[in-house]
Amino acid sequence: MNDVRRVSHPGPSGSPNANALARRPHVVVVGGGIAGLAAATGLAERGVSVEILERQDYLGGRVGGWTERLGDGTEVANNRGFHAFFRQYYNLRTLLRRTDPELERLRPVEDYPLVDAQGRRDTFRGLPKAPPWNALVFALRSPTFPLRDMLRLNAAAAAPLAAVSVPEIYEQLDNVDAETFLQDINFPVAARHLAFEVFARSFFARPERLSAAELAAMFHIYFLGSSEGLVFDVAASNFNTALWEPLGQYLTGLGVALRTKVSAESVTVGGTRVLQVHDSAGTTIDADGVVLATDVAALQRIVAASTGLGGDDWQRRIGAMQTAPPFAVQRLWLDRPVDAGRPAFLGTGGLEPVDNISVVSAYEAQAAEWARAHQGSVVEVHSYSVADPSGDGPLRRQMLARLHQLYPETETAGIVGETLLLRDDCPLFSPGSFAERPTVHTPVAGLMLAGDGIRIDLPVALMERAATTGWSAANGLLESWGVGGHTLHTVPVQGRSPVLRRLARRARRAS
């Protein structure tokens, strides 16, 4: 944590350990992804008895890793694709430090260039870390930000970008979609493709389906709100070996029961404690607390099956949550290397249907080992907001053709192995949804929610939102039992420049 202006959010005060209580609480955490693992860690470290139910046979959720067998019988590591561990992901990195204090199982990616259909190229290499100079230098040296276009920016309409505060930004912009907002501020079209749509696509949504408030919050987190810089880290080996198996062993050492290939079916009030969880194995578990840390569809399924839980309004809000459009990840094991100068990660704009390309063998240990053994490479192609997920045949060919266009050396490479993953399980932050989004705390005593689709009024997003809501869910339960919690950290909760905040207020008044 290099940013001296990061903000600490102290956890609840109380007894240092649940051992002081008359009865040791038992908590069921539903979901073994980032949010569930953070919640389980926060509870188990305070002496709470914890049981995790995970429907897959691996931990990590959407950032999990597994092993597959290629057609030639070779076993290879696989996952759902590239994930960037930014330096301002304080609460996620705190979780990972439980088993990797120096974060040696992450490795830096110093640059991630962006290219558009006209061949214009942006880069984050060599930018100053401190805002607003990072964003200013990026704009000044970018081929997509001609000076004449910068002078046409609508300062009044763009004012929220310069002075983001959370959660106030949602009151200002949540009812506007990101595409309309960018048009209203006269943001250059070319720069929109490269600089802002990259963030929109991080949510697996097109700008017209994403809340402008969410986009502005992302701008704050990564540009004007943090001086951690714009470089990020990636896992140095497949996610299961680098991250989650060590954390699973750590939790087991704390007495946590890990039950994989088991899902929760419903939750009811009552039993010998406070709540009961009914699982797919036919077991009913009595619990003092439950953390539902699942994806949107699983949360909706559990709540719908839990008759009367939380009341009609809360159940309606859960039912109103949306899932982002499907996305595709094509991983290719090729019999020849890509050119040595290819970046580990390339973002694209206006090059349908491809949104980014990763050279996995440039950073992931198992892929690098396979590439050395076969004198080849492992490459990943991503496509977000897939229009027709049933047409994976045409989509596969289109993704492959775009890879060949951008990396011509791959056209003559033989495909030793290939997987095409199609999923639609990420939350959608559509315009106007923030006020109704369910929060970590629920109307049911002992029941908490966690995950990257759950509302928390802090400047966090994506994997960091998952981790932060998980820690927060643990803190909420600990506080209810008088046990001390865990301190959280975020980038500043408002724009860090007083000058920009004053200019933003002046622009808003003028409008």
Side-chain angles (χ1 to χ4, degrees):
M1 296 188 288
N2 296 316
D3 190 349
V4 296
R5 297 182 64 178
R6 67 185 181 275
V7 178
S8 296
H9 306 272
S13 58
S15 302
N17 194 283
N19 293 336
L21 303 177
R23 181 172 70 171
R24 186 188 186 198
H26 182 70
V27 174
V28 177
V29 175
V30 181
I34 291 174
L37 292 172
T41 301
L43 291 163
E45 289 182 343
R46 295 296 187 263
V48 175
S49 170
V50 179
E51 184 172 353
I52 297 176
L53 307 183
E54 169 52 53
R55 65 184 176 186
Q56 301 291 348
D57 60 357
Y58 56 85
L59 298 176
R62 298 201 304 272
V63 196
W66 59 87
T67 299
E68 296 199 18
R69 192 180 298 274
L70 299 184
D72 63 1
T74 306
E75 287 194 344
V76 293
N78 205 358
N79 54 57
R80 289 165 54 116
F82 185 92
H83 283 75
F85 293 77
F86 282 90
R87 308 287 169 81
Q88 51 269 66
Y89 286 1
Y90 301 127
N91 302 314
L92 174 57
R93 294 167 85 89
T94 294
L95 178 66
L96 299 181
R97 287 183 192 276
R98 291 304 198 267
T99 64
D100 185 12
E102 302 302 321
L103 297 180
E104 295 174 338
R105 293 196 290 266
L106 298 180
R107 58 179 298 177
V109 172
E110 298 297 342
D111 190 24
Y112 44 112
L114 313 172
V115 65
D116 70 4
Q118 283 70 49
R120 289 170 295 207
R121 196 176 184 92
D122 274 325
T123 175
F124 295 97
R125 184 185 296 276
L127 290 178
K129 289 186 176 182
W133 311 113
N134 51 4
L136 181 61
V137 171
F138 176 81
L140 289 174
R141 76 182 192 186
S142 169
T144 65
F145 278 86
L147 182 60
R148 64 180 181 276
D149 286 345
M150 293 181 67
L151 295 175
R152 292 183 187 134
L153 282 175
N154 183 334
L161 287 180
V164 168
S165 59
V166 177
E168 289 76 15
I169 190 66
Y170 292 92
E171 298 171 6
Q172 294 176 262
L173 292 181
D174 193 52
N175 287 319
V176 182
D177 68 82
E179 178 71 15
T180 299
F181 174 71
L182 293 174
Q183 291 173 356
D184 288 347
I185 68 175
N186 294 331
F187 200 82
V189 173
R192 197 181 309 164
H193 278 308
L194 287 187
F196 273 85
E197 285 190 13
V198 168
F199 292 135
R201 292 197 302 267
S202 296
F203 289 104
F204 301 96
R206 301 292 180 187
E208 64 270 17
R209 296 196 64 189
L210 179 69
S211 161
E214 207 68 47
L215 189 71
M218 291 281 282
F219 188 74
H220 173 75
I221 293 167
Y222 298 105
F223 280 94
L224 291 183
S226 173
S227 62
E228 296 291 352
L230 290 166
V231 297
F232 54 74
D233 300 314
V234 293
S237 64
N238 203 24
F239 298 129
N240 56 332
T241 57
L243 309 176
W244 312 126
E245 289 173 3
L247 188 59
Q249 293 167 5
Y250 172 76
L251 290 173
T252 301
L254 292 175
V256 174
L258 297 175
R259 298 177 59 205
T260 57
K261 296 185 179 181
V262 179
S263 58
E265 299 296 311
S266 64
V267 179
T268 54
V269 177
T272 61
R273 293 181 180 251
V274 178
L275 298 168
Q276 290 186 315
V277 177
H278 310 278
D279 68 26
S280 58
T283 304
T284 296
I285 309 164
D286 291 307
D288 300 283
V290 174
V291 180
L292 297 180
T294 70
D295 60 33
V296 171
L299 175 62
Q300 291 174 328
R301 175 182 56 78
I302 293 168
V303 170
S306 305
T307 306
L309 187 73
D312 292 343
D313 182 64
W314 184 74
Q315 291 221 350
R316 177 191 60 77
R317 291 168 61 192
I318 297 293
M321 296 176 72
Q322 296 175 283
T323 298
F327 67 93
V329 178
Q330 180 184 43
R331 185 174 281 209
L332 302 161
W333 287 261
L334 304 177
D335 66 1
R336 62 162 291 176
V338 297
D339 288 354
R342 298 300 184 194
F345 175 84
L346 176 74
T348 65
L351 290 165
E352 301 288 349
V354 170
D355 291 287
N356 60 67
I357 298 172
S358 304
V359 181
V360 185
S361 48
Y363 58 86
E364 189 179 281
Q366 294 92 334
E369 182 180 354
W370 185 93
R372 284 192 299 270
H374 294 79
Q375 297 183 329
S377 55
V378 183
V379 178
E380 209 169 65
V381 186
H382 290 217
S383 179
Y384 304 145
S385 294
V386 174
D388 182 14
S390 63
D392 56 313
L395 176 64
R396 173 196 175 271
R397 291 191 294 271
Q398 292 165 5
M399 294 171 73
L400 202 57
R402 190 65 80 182
L403 171 65
H404 294 163
Q405 175 194 349
L406 292 168
Y407 291 5
E409 69 274 19
T410 62
E411 189 167 8
T412 57
I415 299 175
V416 178
E418 177 180 3
T419 58
L420 183 66
L421 186 81
L422 285 164
R423 293 290 186 273
D424 61 348
D425 53 6
C426 297
L428 177 66
F429 304 102
S430 58
S433 64
F434 179 79
E436 290 288 284
R437 200 178 304 164
T439 61
V440 172
H441 291 264
T442 77
V444 182
L447 179 65
M448 298 286 174
L449 303 182
D452 61 344
I454 302 304
R455 172 177 168 175
I456 187 167
D457 291 354
L458 294 173
V460 290
L462 303 171
M463 291 190 292
E464 179 68 351
R465 181 178 283 150
T468 304
T469 55
W471 288 112
S472 182
N475 280 348
L477 290 174
L478 293 170
E479 184 176 28
S480 71
W481 301 319
V483 178
H486 302 266
T487 296
L488 304 178
H489 301 277
T490 68
V491 302
V493 297
Q494 63 177 355
R496 59 197 293 147
S497 169
V499 173
L500 289 178
R501 291 202 300 270
R502 284 196 295 273
L503 290 174
R505 285 195 295 269
R506 190 176 303 167
R508 284 199 297 270
R509 286 196 296 269
S511 65

